[in-house]
Amino acid sequence: HPHVNCSMQGITNGCLALLWQCTYTVLHSDRIVEPARAAGTSFRDGAVLLMALAIGNFVHSSTFFFLLSRIGAISTGIMKGLQAVIVF
């Protein structure tokens, strides 16, 4: 079952990325917290922004895989190329 393989790879990669992010944040908190405080960003505001970013990334990747399963790899590649041309 390819979707199970894909899911397990995604979960594993997500856990490793979360572990790295937490480790990096703890070790470099002064480089992260001080600029946020200077800009007037509260912990709550920062968390809301990060959650919005995570939700946006989830929707973006979900639509990509939806297109991949519905219209195929070639058509999805063409659509991604068109998206890159429009964005950049």
Side-chain angles (χ1 to χ4, degrees):
H1 303 286
H3 63 283
V4 174
N5 183 20
C6 183
S7 296
M8 290 307 296
Q9 288 184 27
I11 290 169
T12 302
N13 187 33
C15 289
L16 289 174
L18 180 65
L19 177 65
W20 179 86
Q21 184 66 40
C22 290
T23 303
Y24 181 87
T25 301
V26 167
L27 295 176
H28 298 92
S29 62
D30 56 327
R31 297 176 67 190
I32 299 167
V33 173
E34 292 306 320
R37 281 191 188 140
T41 304
S42 68
F43 179 80
R44 181 184 163 281
D45 292 343
V48 167
L49 289 171
L50 287 175
M51 285 303 292
L53 179 65
I55 291 168
N57 284 338
F58 175 76
V59 170
H60 179 77
S61 64
S62 297
T63 56
F64 172 75
F65 285 109
F66 176 79
L67 284 174
L68 195 60
S69 68
R70 299 287 184 214
I71 64 175
I74 301 298
S75 298
T76 302
I78 292 169
M79 294 300 292
K80 291 301 284 181
L82 180 63
Q83 177 188 14
V85 168
I86 292 171
V87 170
F88 299 109

